[in-house]
């Protein structure tokens, strides 16, 4: 048998680009390890340590032989119960523990949801700017991405009219994210209700990513779509996790909540893929979810302060246009006004080139808008320490002055 290609990898995986947020993060960390003084605005990752009571629960779990064994692939029963209780407490959605699937972070919950719901050719409506991993995950499941552009003029929110014009007989799923990564947009209750009712009437599934539910500022409030539109409940997958709320990105605990037959199907897949999430991490997540939200309130107040500072500083930079984010911990300015200029001796014509030039000359790591389906923008995470944040913002301002 003769091989016609020298690349042994599958077409499916060849078509996947590495996650741009993780690429930028790895690059910034590698430069720091080489002794470069880089301010990393790349991956969205809280700078806070995980709360002490969560650490103590993990330490106890390490010493418990039950935690040294396989557990059900869908998750520790006490964690599935804690997730059900937390969901009813925080968003008002009544959930039974057997509708919960514990996954290796929110990213894994999303991947599994698309694998479970999509057949080849199914179309997925994806409001843009979107989080970088959604399109690749949808395509890996055989789905077709139908991106719906939004801009600062519509506060980065998709409208029912836009959704309706994009709907076809093949539309299976809408991805809905509020608060949004990367824009920080938060949909008001009436918009969530209108979009949810439209999806329910059209018989479209909604995968709703609620990972930033607790990080909302000012008058913005998070509302869960299946709570405001109960008739959507049996065609909705809620995705969430402990990473952003409790500063637990590295512990890798997320989950999905879906109608029983979908959760059972997703668990069949998980039973061949990853089995249970590391039990020590699951025990830590139980402590986080059963514990108080006081530390979350402190972190939120800190992000709020950093959000205002970031917005104020970026708004003063000529060529940048930065709406005030209402949630999550990202700013998403337009940099159209900077394109065509020379930055650090290089003429930049795209947000991708601008971010490369700023990393090179100003030593700040930003994620270009291209990966979010929004060329002409860049994303900056303000979930980093105050000193780093100020230093990084000074560098951006100086480089673009
Ligand atoms: N969700 C975070 C971000 O967008 C973490 C990095 C990632 O997994 O993409 O930066």
């Amino acid at each position: 048998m003769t091989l016609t290609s020298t690349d042994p990898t599958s077409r499916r995986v060849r078509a996947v680009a590495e996650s741009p947020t993780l690429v930028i993060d790895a690059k910034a960390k590698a430069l720091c390890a080489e002794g470069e003084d880089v301010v990393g605005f790349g991956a969205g990752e809280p700078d806070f340590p995980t709360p002490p009571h969560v650490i103590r629960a993990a330490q106890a779990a390490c010493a418990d032989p039950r935690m040294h064994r396989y557990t059900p692939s869908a998750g520790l029963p006490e964690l599935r119960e804690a997730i059900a209780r937390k969901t009813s407490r925080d968003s008002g959605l009544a959930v039974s523990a057997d509708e919960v699937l514990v996954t290796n972070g929110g990213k894994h919950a999303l991947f599994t949801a698309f694998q479970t719901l999509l057949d080849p050719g199914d179309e997925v409506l994806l409001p843009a700017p979107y989080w970088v991993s959604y399109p690749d995950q949808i395509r890996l499941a055989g789905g077709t991405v139908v991106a719906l552009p939004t801009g600062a003029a519509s506060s980065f929110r998709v409208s029912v009219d836009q959704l309706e014009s994009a709907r076809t007989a093949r539309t299976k799923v809408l991805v809905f994210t509020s608060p949004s990564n990367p824009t920080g947009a938060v949909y008001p209750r009436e918009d969530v209700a209108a979009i949810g009712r439209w999806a329910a009437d059209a018989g479209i599934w909604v995968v709703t990513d609620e990972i930033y539910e607790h990080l909302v500022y000012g008058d913005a409030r998070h509302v869960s779509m299946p709570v405001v539109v109960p008739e959507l409940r049996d065609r909705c997958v809620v995705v969430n996790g402990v990473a952003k709320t409790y500063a637990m990105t590295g512990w890798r605990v997320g989950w999905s909540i879906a109608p029983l037959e979908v959760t059972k199907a997703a668990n069949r897949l998980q039973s061949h893929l990853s089995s249970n999430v590391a039990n020590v991490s699951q025990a830590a997540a139980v402590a986080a979810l059963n514990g108080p939200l006081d530390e979350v309130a402190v972190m939120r107040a800190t992000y709020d302060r950093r959000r205002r500072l970031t917005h104020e500083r970026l708004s003063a930079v000529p060529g940048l246009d930065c709406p005030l984010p209402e949630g999550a911990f990202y700013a998403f300015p337009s940099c159209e006004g900077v394109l065509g200029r020379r930055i650090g001796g290089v003429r930049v014509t795209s947000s991708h080139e601008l971010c490369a030039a700023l990393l090179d000359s100003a030593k700040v790591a930003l994620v270009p808008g291209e990966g979010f389906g929004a060329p002409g923008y860049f994303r900056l995470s303000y979930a980093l320490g105050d000193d780093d944040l100020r230093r990084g913002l000074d560098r951006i301002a100086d480089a673009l002055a």
Side-chain angles (χ1 to χ4, degrees):
M1 197 180 93
T2 41
L3 288 176
T4 49
S5 160
T6 52
D7 187 339
T9 59
S10 67
R11 271 196 292 277
R12 196 174 61 255
V13 172
R14 273 205 300 276
V16 175
E18 195 174 347
S19 159
T21 46
L22 297 190
V23 168
I24 302 285
D25 189 52
K27 207 165 174 178
K29 284 177 178 153
L31 286 168
C32 287
E34 283 166 20
E36 297 260 21
D37 169 26
V38 173
V39 178
F41 289 111
E45 170 155 72
D47 62 311
F48 298 99
T50 299
H53 69 281
V54 177
I55 311 278
R56 282 195 298 275
Q59 285 166 333
C62 279
D64 176 358
R66 186 172 81 97
M67 298 297 175
H68 305 169
R69 309 281 176 246
Y70 295 127
T71 58
S73 57
L76 285 176
E78 57 268 42
L79 178 54
R80 296 174 85 195
E81 292 287 351
I83 291 165
R85 269 197 309 276
K86 163 259 171 296
T87 306
S88 143
R89 175 194 72 192
D90 295 350
S91 59
L93 186 68
V95 172
S96 77
D98 52 8
E99 293 175 300
V100 175
L101 178 73
V102 179
T103 58
N104 195 41
K107 191 181 278 188
H108 183 197
L110 289 160
F111 186 92
T112 301
F114 294 132
Q115 289 290 331
T116 306
L117 291 176
L118 297 176
D119 277 319
D122 284 345
E123 292 174 6
V124 179
L125 301 181
L126 183 60
Y130 44 70
W131 180 51
V132 292
S133 290
Y134 297 138
D136 283 299
Q137 293 193 346
I138 291 165
R139 283 191 282 264
L140 281 167
T144 301
V145 175
V146 179
L148 303 174
T150 69
S154 62
S155 304
F156 295 112
R157 294 184 214 137
V158 76
S159 68
V160 168
D161 286 348
Q162 254 181 305
L163 293 167
E164 181 56 22
S165 348
R167 181 163 72 96
T168 74
R170 294 306 309 260
T171 307
K172 176 83 184 270
V173 172
L174 162 68
V175 178
F176 184 77
T177 310
S178 174
S180 156
N181 174 4
T183 64
V186 180
Y187 285 72
R189 172 177 278 270
E190 56 277 17
D191 288 23
V192 179
I195 291 171
R197 273 197 302 270
W198 169 83
D201 290 348
I204 290 170
W205 279 80
V206 176
V207 173
T208 173
D209 185 343
E210 302 191 346
I211 195 87
Y212 294 100
E213 67 175 331
H214 285 285
L215 301 182
V216 289
Y217 314 106
D219 295 334
R221 294 287 171 270
H222 170 258
V223 284
S224 180
M225 194 177 273
V227 174
V228 286
V229 185
E231 58 272 36
L232 193 66
R233 180 69 168 83
D234 57 4
R235 261 199 311 276
C236 185
V237 181
V238 176
V239 172
N240 207 331
V242 290
K244 306 300 183 334
T245 305
Y246 300 98
M248 291 178 71
T249 48
W251 299 79
R252 309 312 298 142
V253 182
W255 58 83
S256 59
I257 297 166
L260 205 50
E261 58 171 340
V262 173
T263 295
K264 280 185 174 162
N267 186 37
R268 285 202 301 278
L269 173 65
Q270 180 151 304
S271 75
H272 290 292
L273 183 66
S274 50
S275 305
N276 63 278
V277 171
N279 291 329
V280 171
S281 286
Q282 291 198 65
V286 171
L289 297 178
N290 287 346
L293 286 165
D294 316 5
E295 301 197 39
V296 180
V298 173
M299 291 191 258
R300 181 176 46 239
T302 309
Y303 296 138
D304 189 10
R305 186 167 45 68
R306 293 174 183 168
R307 166 184 82 114
R308 290 171 192 283
L309 173 73
T310 303
H311 173 252
E312 187 189 304
R313 295 294 311 276
L314 291 180
S315 297
V317 175
L320 296 186
D321 186 5
C322 184
L324 180 66
E326 299 178 289
F329 39 51
Y330 306 106
F332 199 64
S334 161
C335 55
E336 290 282 356
V338 175
L339 303 184
R341 285 169 50 188
R342 294 183 81 78
I343 308 296
V346 180
R347 185 167 171 274
V348 296
T349 61
S350 66
S351 36
H352 186 82
E353 289 175 6
L354 172 65
C355 291
L358 286 172
L359 180 58
D360 214 36
S361 61
K363 305 286 180 239
V364 288
L366 304 160
V367 191
E370 283 83 347
F372 303 99
Y377 292 82
F378 64 78
R379 191 192 78 175
L380 170 155
S381 160
Y382 51 82
L384 71 173
D386 289 315
D387 290 348
D388 283 346
L389 181 63
R390 283 178 197 283
R391 224 153 37 89
L393 291 170
D394 284 347
R395 289 181 188 183
I396 295 171
D398 290 347
L400 301 183

